Amino acid sequence: MQTKKYCGVVVPMVTPVTENGVLDTASVERIVSFFVVNGVSPLLMGTTGEGNSVSQADGLKLVETAVKARDLKCSDPQENNSPSPCPLAPATIIYAGLTGNCFAEQLAQAEAYTKAGADVIVATLPTYYALTPEQMYQYYKCLVDNIKGPLMLYNILATTHMSIPVDVIRRLADHPNIVGLKDSERDLERMAACIEIAKGRDDFAYFCGWAAQSAHALELGGDGIVPSTGNFVPNMFCQLYEAAVRGDMATANRLQDETNEIAKIYQKDRTLGQSLAALKVMMQTKDLCQPFMLMPLNRLSDEEEQTIASKALACSRK
């Protein structure tokens, strides 16, 4: 059984906006409530959440709205009297993504998010300059030394075009205020090495951001998973996590295969940005949000949206 404070299913939540690009707070409330009911936690302003495109003002409003929605849903007597859908995972935790290239602004945002109630800051590398391993280490050390809340490292080669070396992660894991790593790099050898860093200690957790390898990462001893498809079927990933923690890998692998098929609805033959627009279309079929995007991303064609919606509805009826 998992005993770490940070574990379970963390869904990189989409950022719902209106047609004019304004944060859709009503949809934020619906999505967070949907997550709480299904036993998962949100990562706000990650890659799936268009984090680099969210303004500072909207970022703060997003955190405030999510925290309020989480607290309201968790205090609901009806929910509290219901069996937990994911009893081996912790209560809903608010993870807030931190991106950008201006260090002073990042510090200000981290402080604002923490004051607004975010439980953990999750930071990617600044991306304008190619950084040496030592610069990466110093960046995270300086960041964590100057914020009050816990920090989680976020490695995602696909968007930052840099990979935090395993040796740097090992050094940073010993910092008392760095609580884990969310790693989205598609490298099985690296995954195993990073999981080994987190094994046998309760102060540093490994979260797999490669959704298609969720079951495998948990079988190796990973502490949590961060699947974007969890925006649409959080319950399935909660079941996958529970099965893997119990050692029922047959069930976990079956759910892995099923969620991989669902992911193809929005990911197959699309760029990352296009897939996020398609994911919002799928979520619209559950009345969770509208399919509007923040620039530079945009909506898909009407024909493509209709095809995606039909497949999503057919999936929901199974």
Side-chain angles (χ1 to χ4, degrees):
M1 179 178 292
Q2 298 282 22
T3 58
K4 294 186 182 181
K5 180 176 181 179
Y6 303 108
C7 62
V9 183
V10 177
V11 176
M13 192 179 109
V14 303
T15 298
V17 294
T18 67
E19 187 172 7
N20 296 323
V22 176
L23 183 68
D24 184 349
T25 55
S27 289
V28 173
E29 292 170 355
R30 285 196 296 274
I31 296 170
V32 172
S33 296
F34 180 56
F35 286 2
V36 171
V37 168
N38 284 283
V40 304
S41 296
L43 165 59
L44 310 176
M45 294 172 287
T47 302
T48 305
E50 303 168 79
N52 278 285
S53 302
V54 178
S55 70
Q56 292 186 11
D58 274 351
L60 178 56
K61 186 184 295 185
L62 176 55
V63 173
E64 292 172 338
T65 306
V67 170
K68 182 178 180 181
R70 184 270 310 269
D71 293 348
L72 184 63
K73 195 67 177 177
C74 288
S75 66
D76 185 340
Q78 184 175 351
E79 296 299 333
N80 288 335
N81 291 330
S82 301
S84 170
C86 207
L88 299 184
T92 306
I93 292 171
I94 303 293
Y95 296 83
L98 192 67
T99 59
N101 292 307
C102 177
F103 190 71
E105 290 180 355
Q106 286 185 312
L107 290 180
Q109 285 299 100
E111 181 179 8
Y113 295 162
T114 300
K115 285 184 177 179
D119 300 297
V120 182
I121 301 298
V122 184
T124 60
L125 288 169
T127 59
Y128 190 81
Y129 299 104
L131 303 177
T132 67
E134 184 61 26
Q135 286 171 326
M136 295 180 193
Y137 173 81
Q138 292 297 336
Y139 164 73
Y140 278 117
K141 185 177 185 305
C142 191
L143 179 62
V144 73
D145 284 346
N146 285 280
I147 65 175
K148 295 178 180 178
L151 177 74
M152 184 171 287
L153 313 174
Y154 182 179
N155 182 67
I156 179 164
L157 175 63
T159 58
T160 65
H161 309 294
M162 290 180 284
S163 175
I164 307 171
V166 174
D167 286 346
V168 171
I169 292 167
R170 187 176 290 110
R171 291 172 66 193
L172 290 167
D174 289 331
H175 193 290
N177 220 33
I178 294 180
V179 298
L181 164 71
K182 185 229 168 179
D183 200 336
S184 298
E185 192 161 336
R186 284 154 169 71
D187 183 327
L188 291 174
E189 185 177 346
R190 173 193 171 86
M191 175 194 293
C194 290
I195 289 173
E196 284 301 316
I197 293 173
K199 272 187 178 179
R201 56 190 300 171
D202 59 11
D203 60 346
F204 188 83
Y206 173 87
F207 282 79
C208 177
W210 183 4
Q213 293 294 332
S214 295
H216 179 61
L218 293 169
E219 185 176 22
L220 290 179
D223 302 293
I225 54 177
V226 192
S228 60
T229 310
N231 279 280
F232 185 66
V233 284
N235 58 317
M236 292 183 71
F237 285 99
C238 183
Q239 292 167 19
L240 187 159
Y241 172 80
E242 292 282 326
V245 171
R246 292 195 310 267
D248 180 3
M249 293 311 302
T251 298
N253 287 322
R254 173 181 59 78
L255 288 163
Q256 182 72 78
D257 291 340
E258 291 174 2
T259 54
N260 287 349
E261 288 302 309
I262 294 170
K264 290 179 183 178
I265 297 174
Y266 68 99
Q267 292 177 348
K268 185 174 171 51
D269 298 326
R270 295 189 178 90
T271 65
L272 175 57
Q274 290 171 329
S275 75
L276 301 184
L279 179 57
K280 285 186 178 180
V281 173
M282 293 178 68
M283 295 178 71
Q284 186 182 31
T285 66
K286 294 189 175 184
D287 297 321
L288 292 169
C289 69
Q290 298 294 312
F292 301 116
M293 305 297 292
L294 290 167
M295 290 295 291
L297 302 181
N298 44 56
R299 290 181 65 169
L300 304 175
S301 68
D302 289 345
E303 181 180 2
E304 195 168 5
E305 286 190 359
Q306 290 171 9
T307 299
I308 293 165
S310 296
K311 291 180 179 180
L313 287 168
C315 177
S316 296
R317 287 193 291 267
K318 290 182 180 179

